[in-house]
Amino acid sequence: MPDRFHVAIRALHWTMALLILAMLFIGVAMVSTAGPAYASLVALHRPIGIAILLLALIRLAIRLHTGAPPLPADLPRLQQRTARGAHILLYLAMIGMPLIGWAMLSAGGYPVRLSASLVLPPIVPQNLFAYGLLRRAHTLVAFAFLALILGHLTIALVHGFIRRDGVLETMLFARTPAALPDAEEEAGQALPADSGEEPAEIAPS
């Protein structure tokens, strides 16, 4: 088993973290404004959402191919299962939320425009009732996603700075120094066993 995630997964993780953080701020700004900035925010929101979808699919494929580092052996089984379940939910949110947004826009008859010349095709028929349901679902998933992210961040910090069990390091690029034994213990291991003899005196020069 690898001791860290594949380098491509680590690169995708931090790239997607920045994109998701940007999306959350853009989403909050979109629902709190109806002014001229709204159109610019929408123009950012849609392509970033599709980028997250594509990167999540690539990341999932690499993860299934390369595997994941094992969790610490001393971690209780319930916590191990919770961690695996949380990762599954994160992947579902990263993939499902953009798809719901895409379907919502399709149902509302709005084009998913990524650039001036690139418009994605609709993935569901136009239907105002479906649009309302998908819009509600998109909002609920966004709140659930935010809760997952906050929980994920909290647990990562606990592993990195309280347990110090190497879990956080599996997603970092630089290795952190391993925990060193106490100076006295290290010194005790370096010295030979006490033979009962007094140390030899050093003759003065």
Side-chain angles (χ1 to χ4, degrees):
M1 294 291 290
D3 63 346
R4 291 200 292 176
F5 284 99
H6 190 277
V7 64
I9 291 182
R10 282 178 272 154
L12 286 169
H13 175 275
W14 296 109
T15 300
M16 292 180 67
L18 293 175
L19 291 176
I20 291 169
L21 184 62
M23 280 289 281
L24 292 175
F25 280 109
I26 291 171
V28 170
M30 284 173 59
V31 299
S32 61
T33 184
Y38 182 81
S40 299
L41 293 171
V42 169
L44 287 173
H45 188 83
R46 293 174 184 174
I48 293 177
I50 297 301
I52 291 172
L53 172 61
L54 294 176
L55 293 177
L57 291 172
I58 294 171
R59 177 175 167 181
L60 179 59
I62 298 173
R63 169 73 180 271
L64 293 174
H65 179 69
T66 60
L71 292 170
D74 65 337
L75 196 66
R77 187 176 298 275
L78 178 60
Q79 292 186 30
Q80 293 188 27
R81 291 177 177 174
T82 302
R84 294 188 180 98
H87 277 90
I88 292 172
L89 290 176
L90 282 168
Y91 272 100
L92 288 175
M94 289 187 293
I95 295 171
M97 191 171 174
L99 284 175
I100 293 173
W102 188 354
M104 177 190 74
L105 294 172
S106 299
Y110 300 105
V112 182
R113 188 178 300 277
L114 303 184
S115 67
S117 59
L118 181 57
V119 179
L120 297 181
I123 57 174
V124 299
Q126 188 171 344
N127 184 291
L128 291 181
F129 180 73
Y131 171 78
L133 290 178
L134 290 166
R135 184 180 179 88
R136 180 64 174 169
H138 193 64
T139 301
L140 293 176
V141 173
F143 281 115
F145 195 15
L146 177 59
L148 282 170
I149 291 170
L150 292 177
H152 181 69
L153 177 60
T154 301
I155 296 302
L157 293 176
V158 168
H159 280 289
F161 298 100
I162 297 178
R163 284 181 57 92
R164 299 185 181 182
D165 52 13
V167 170
L168 179 61
E169 188 182 83
T170 63
M171 197 56 81
L172 301 179
F173 290 97
R175 291 189 180 275
T176 56
L180 296 175
D182 294 338
E184 293 181 359
E185 180 182 349
E186 185 174 333
Q189 293 175 355
L191 291 175
D194 186 7
S195 60
E197 299 179 356
E198 294 293 332
E201 294 184 1
I202 302 176
S205 56

